[in-house]
Amino acid sequence: MIGGYPHSTDHFPPIPALELRLRRPDEGASTEPLIALIDTGADITLVPQVLLETIRAPELDEARLRSHWGEYVTVFTYLVDVTLDIGTLPGVEVVGDSYGDKVLLGRNVLN
């Protein structure tokens, strides 16, 4: 905790973070508690592909994602429930990230 708010101190400077679980929308499989980094510049939440495969999250669609370097990549979106200490956000669309190993909470969850 820094200034009363949770942060990941695995980075410098520390990054705001939240603990959460991801669950299949049908109340099926769930992840263990995860630390998700808060990314207020991201339009959508990114989740490591391996986590989505582990809980067998339903695939929604194929999409094009523009990276912060301006390049476009083809990605797949999935549907998950996001469970926080204060409750569950049902049916959240997330992007499967084949390269990263961290959950990045975008504005689709933060809003």
Side-chain angles (χ1 to χ4, degrees):
M1 296 272 264
I2 297 175
Y5 297 98
H7 281 70
S8 170
T9 55
D10 293 338
H11 302 84
F12 185 80
I15 299 171
L18 289 174
E19 186 176 277
L20 55 76
R21 287 179 188 258
L22 301 173
R23 180 180 302 277
R24 277 182 59 96
D26 62 5
E27 295 295 324
S30 166
T31 65
E32 295 297 319
L34 305 165
I35 298 298
L37 303 178
I38 296 173
D39 186 350
T40 59
D43 293 328
I44 194 163
T45 297
L46 297 175
V47 176
Q49 188 71 38
V50 67
L51 292 175
L52 296 168
E53 291 169 1
T54 299
I55 64 170
R56 296 182 17 202
E59 187 177 299
L60 291 177
D61 204 359
E62 185 175 306
R64 287 178 37 99
L65 180 76
R66 185 173 172 202
S67 79
H68 52 287
W69 288 292
E71 64 194 18
Y72 285 91
V73 294
T74 300
V75 296
F76 291 93
T77 62
Y78 297 83
L79 194 64
V80 297
D81 291 347
V82 177
T83 302
L84 305 162
D85 285 344
I86 59 170
T88 298
L89 299 170
V92 175
E93 185 176 8
V94 300
V95 168
D97 183 357
S98 300
Y99 304 103
D101 62 352
K102 301 205 181 324
V103 175
L104 299 178
L105 282 182
R107 291 190 309 267
N108 68 317
V109 170
L110 299 173
N111 288 341

